Amino acid sequence: MEFSLRYPSHIIFGEHKVRELGQQTKVFGTKSLIVTGKNSMEKSGILREIADDLEYYGIKHYVFDGIYGEPDTEMVDQVRRMIEEEKIDFVVGLGGGSALDVAKAAAGLYGQNLPTAEYLNQRPFEYQGIPFVAIPTTAGTGSEITLNAVLYHPELGNKNSLAHPGFQSKCSIVDPVLTYSMAPEITAMTGMDALTHAVESYTSKMANPVTMAMAGKAISLIAEGLPMAVKDGSDKMARSKMALGSMMAALAFAQTGVGVAHAISHPLGALFHIPHGLANAILLPTVIDYNDRCCHHQYVEIEKMLGIQKRFGDFVRDLLMLLPIPQTLTAAGYIKGKEEELIRKTFTSRSLSKNPRLVQEDDVMDILQHCL
Ligand SMILES: [Fe+2]
């Protein structure tokens, strides 16, 4: 057995830990840029709280609040320009996966001369980045742990992963309190993304005892916490389980990669703008059944861990039905006619090589048919 593990330098977890931002980041310099979504953090008062804390430690802050919808290379270019113009020392991503991925890519590409789209097209570069600090406000994407940013390329209509070991955050603050205001639909979608990370990591060809321990615990936490967090967003215990479950799923999948659900969900996002977590939520029960012949033993382990009498795929199917989100790809916005393009884009994903079952083109069609 052999494996290597790569993690952010510092992970802080706990309620109200966001208040430690200034204290933890003063070593990075005196000029920060907060990358966030329009209005939401401002409305909830979190942005003000963070800004006050940074100022207390003598750190000047700038705000880029142009994150909306899918994160794309143009948003990263805008943030990179702001970093250069204002001579920013470190970047704080505050928000869901979109804000974190844009902040991460912009900080990581500091010192590079070409537009972000070039690097998304696999152009190699030597990392010269500035520190990236991650503060997630959803419980799902795991971007506070991973070393990649998933970005949309507006000209090619593709979603791809831009990755470098230097991209990993220098400090991640996972504060469940920041997720309290998340709407039930977003809680459901991001939570199912986290569950998909955990399941695909647990059964990944790259899984090892360390990642399986974390992915297994993440599956238990999310299975318990998700229905409660969706039903009552103010349930602190449920929110804490989801924040921890999501983070542990990311600690696992950042090492092992994911699988065929993610390989299909990225083009579904690029072609039909189906949110990433929603696409995974709809695909996951079918993907579990599809992979069963190659990882039945792992599913039995999960069933024992959860203490359930039904098959794991059916358990996830029943969980999905409890959630206030579209239950089929058609209801989510899928339109027939682009199957060829979708399959071609699915097969550009590196995630397929980690999937326990060798995926053929017909298999992708079958999975899609089951989910329409
Ligand atoms: Fe994901």
Side-chain angles (χ1 to χ4, degrees), residues 193 197 262 276 280:
D193 186 24
H197 295 152
H262 271 80
H276 175 69
N280 278 332

Side-chain angles (χ1 to χ4, degrees), residues 190-209:
T190 51
M192 286 301 285
D193 186 24
L195 182 62
T196 310
H197 295 152
V199 173
E200 294 205 301
S201 175
Y202 196 86
T203 58
S204 164
K205 279 183 181 168
M206 305 296 288
N208 62 60

Side-chain angles (χ1 to χ4, degrees), residues 50 55 89 91 94 102 105 151 157 177 191 197 237 244 251 265 287 290 310 321 342 358:
I50 284 175
E55 271 170 36
D89 293 318
V91 182
L94 171 71
V102 170
L151 301 172
V177 174
H197 295 152
M237 181 63 81
L244 184 59
L251 287 167
S265 75
V287 164
Y290 166 77
K310 55 181 116 176
M321 284 170 67
L342 194 140
L358 180 67

Side-chain angles (χ1 to χ4, degrees), residues 64 66 68 71-81 102 116-117 151-155:
F64 176 90
Y68 54 91
D72 64 31
T73 52
E74 285 170 7
M75 290 180 204
V76 178
D77 285 336
Q78 287 175 45
V79 176
R80 287 173 64 194
R81 276 196 292 277
V102 170
T116 304
L151 301 172
Y152 181 69
H153 191 308
E155 281 164 32

Side-chain angles (χ1 to χ4, degrees), residues 1 23 53 69 116 131 146 158 187-188 197 209 229 244 246 272 287 306 311 323 355 362:
M1 181 194 312
Q23 190 190 352
D53 185 55
T116 304
T146 60
N158 255 352
T187 302
H197 295 152
L244 184 59
S246 166
F272 305 106
V287 164
L306 295 175
R311 293 179 64 168
L323 305 177
N355 195 71
D362 288 350

